[in-house]
Amino acid sequence: MKKYLIVSGCSWGDPNFISAEHPDMDTSWKMWPEILAEKLDMQLINLCKSGQGQEYIYSSLIDRLQTTPINQIGLMIAAWSTAVSYTHLTLPTKA
């Protein structure tokens, strides 16, 4: 069984990203966590969400760490947002 790559962050890694400036833009490209998981040959758990700040990033990783057996985790990445970024309401995600 492949080990897990667990990533949490903001819109830079959100697979459901929608551009606020260009909402009609096709944003179906692979985000960096998916590319990294392929390169490392790991199973991805992507917790990234647009508009999320440090508290969400930290909390989502801690929550996942508590529910995933430690021997199944290959790597956890906190993709910190900008220092002044706070969690706020987000745009609707793709269906």
Side-chain angles (χ1 to χ4, degrees), residues 54 80-86:
Q54 316 315 358
W80 301 115
S81 191
T82 58
V84 295
S85 183
Y86 297 98

PDB file of all heavy atoms in Angstrom, residues 54 80-86:
ATOM      1  N   GLN A  54      -4.076  30.288   8.299  1.00  0.00           N
ATOM      2  CA  GLN A  54      -3.189  29.431   9.082  1.00  0.00           C
ATOM      3  C   GLN A  54      -3.946  28.510  10.046  1.00  0.00           C
ATOM      4  O   GLN A  54      -3.568  27.352  10.232  1.00  0.00           O
ATOM      5  CB  GLN A  54      -2.189  30.287   9.875  1.00  0.00           C
ATOM      6  CG  GLN A  54      -1.540  31.431   9.177  1.00  0.00           C
ATOM      7  CD  GLN A  54      -1.008  31.164   7.781  1.00  0.00           C
ATOM      8  OE1 GLN A  54      -1.053  30.076   7.251  1.00  0.00           O
ATOM      9  NE2 GLN A  54      -0.503  32.210   7.158  1.00  0.00           N
ATOM     10  N   TRP A  80       1.669  26.908   4.235  1.00  0.00           N
ATOM     11  CA  TRP A  80       1.193  28.123   4.898  1.00  0.00           C
ATOM     12  C   TRP A  80       0.848  29.209   3.889  1.00  0.00           C
ATOM     13  O   TRP A  80       1.544  29.407   2.907  1.00  0.00           O
ATOM     14  CB  TRP A  80       2.245  28.649   5.875  1.00  0.00           C
ATOM     15  CG  TRP A  80       2.606  27.670   6.935  1.00  0.00           C
ATOM     16  CD1 TRP A  80       3.820  27.077   7.106  1.00  0.00           C
ATOM     17  CD2 TRP A  80       1.762  27.141   7.957  1.00  0.00           C
ATOM     18  NE1 TRP A  80       3.776  26.216   8.177  1.00  0.00           N
ATOM     19  CE2 TRP A  80       2.530  26.237   8.720  1.00  0.00           C
ATOM     20  CE3 TRP A  80       0.424  27.343   8.304  1.00  0.00           C
ATOM     21  CZ2 TRP A  80       2.009  25.536   9.805  1.00  0.00           C
ATOM     22  CZ3 TRP A  80      -0.088  26.634   9.383  1.00  0.00           C
ATOM     23  CH2 TRP A  80       0.683  25.761  10.120  1.00  0.00           C
ATOM     24  N   SER A  81      -0.224  29.908   4.179  1.00  0.00           N
ATOM     25  CA  SER A  81      -0.647  31.031   3.359  1.00  0.00           C
ATOM     26  C   SER A  81       0.154  32.261   3.797  1.00  0.00           C
ATOM     27  O   SER A  81       1.062  32.146   4.621  1.00  0.00           O
ATOM     28  CB  SER A  81      -2.157  31.238   3.566  1.00  0.00           C
ATOM     29  OG  SER A  81      -2.661  32.133   2.615  1.00  0.00           O
ATOM     30  N   THR A  82      -0.193  33.421   3.275  1.00  0.00           N
ATOM     31  CA  THR A  82       0.513  34.635   3.706  1.00  0.00           C
ATOM     32  C   THR A  82       0.256  34.880   5.184  1.00  0.00           C
ATOM     33  O   THR A  82      -0.776  34.475   5.725  1.00  0.00           O
ATOM     34  CB  THR A  82       0.059  35.856   2.890  1.00  0.00           C
ATOM     35  OG1 THR A  82      -1.344  36.017   3.039  1.00  0.00           O
ATOM     36  CG2 THR A  82       0.407  35.698   1.427  1.00  0.00           C
ATOM     37  N   ALA A  83       1.175  35.549   5.844  1.00  0.00           N
ATOM     38  CA  ALA A  83       1.105  35.745   7.290  1.00  0.00           C
ATOM     39  C   ALA A  83      -0.165  36.446   7.742  1.00  0.00           C
ATOM     40  O   ALA A  83      -0.668  36.189   8.831  1.00  0.00           O
ATOM     41  CB  ALA A  83       2.337  36.516   7.764  1.00  0.00           C
ATOM     42  N   VAL A  84      -0.701  37.322   6.924  1.00  0.00           N
ATOM     43  CA  VAL A  84      -1.897  38.066   7.329  1.00  0.00           C
ATOM     44  C   VAL A  84      -3.188  37.385   6.863  1.00  0.00           C
ATOM     45  O   VAL A  84      -4.259  37.945   6.986  1.00  0.00           O
ATOM     46  CB  VAL A  84      -1.859  39.516   6.802  1.00  0.00           C
ATOM     47  CG1 VAL A  84      -0.717  40.283   7.435  1.00  0.00           C
ATOM     48  CG2 VAL A  84      -1.757  39.536   5.281  1.00  0.00           C
ATOM     49  N   SER A  85      -3.083  36.192   6.346  1.00  0.00           N
ATOM     50  CA  SER A  85      -4.254  35.490   5.828  1.00  0.00           C
ATOM     51  C   SER A  85      -5.053  34.868   6.958  1.00  0.00           C
ATOM     52  O   SER A  85      -4.520  34.158   7.804  1.00  0.00           O
ATOM     53  CB  SER A  85      -3.818  34.400   4.844  1.00  0.00           C
ATOM     54  OG  SER A  85      -4.930  33.767   4.302  1.00  0.00           O
ATOM     55  N   TYR A  86      -6.339  35.162   6.981  1.00  0.00           N
ATOM     56  CA  TYR A  86      -7.254  34.595   7.955  1.00  0.00           C
ATOM     57  C   TYR A  86      -8.320  33.818   7.209  1.00  0.00           C
ATOM     58  O   TYR A  86      -8.665  34.155   6.063  1.00  0.00           O
ATOM     59  CB  TYR A  86      -7.924  35.682   8.788  1.00  0.00           C
ATOM     60  CG  TYR A  86      -6.944  36.471   9.618  1.00  0.00           C
ATOM     61  CD1 TYR A  86      -6.466  37.689   9.183  1.00  0.00           C
ATOM     62  CD2 TYR A  86      -6.507  35.978  10.834  1.00  0.00           C
ATOM     63  CE1 TYR A  86      -5.553  38.413   9.940  1.00  0.00           C
ATOM     64  CE2 TYR A  86      -5.595  36.695  11.591  1.00  0.00           C
ATOM     65  CZ  TYR A  86      -5.134  37.909  11.159  1.00  0.00           C
ATOM     66  OH  TYR A  86      -4.232  38.605  11.904  1.00  0.00           O
TER      67      TYR A  86
END
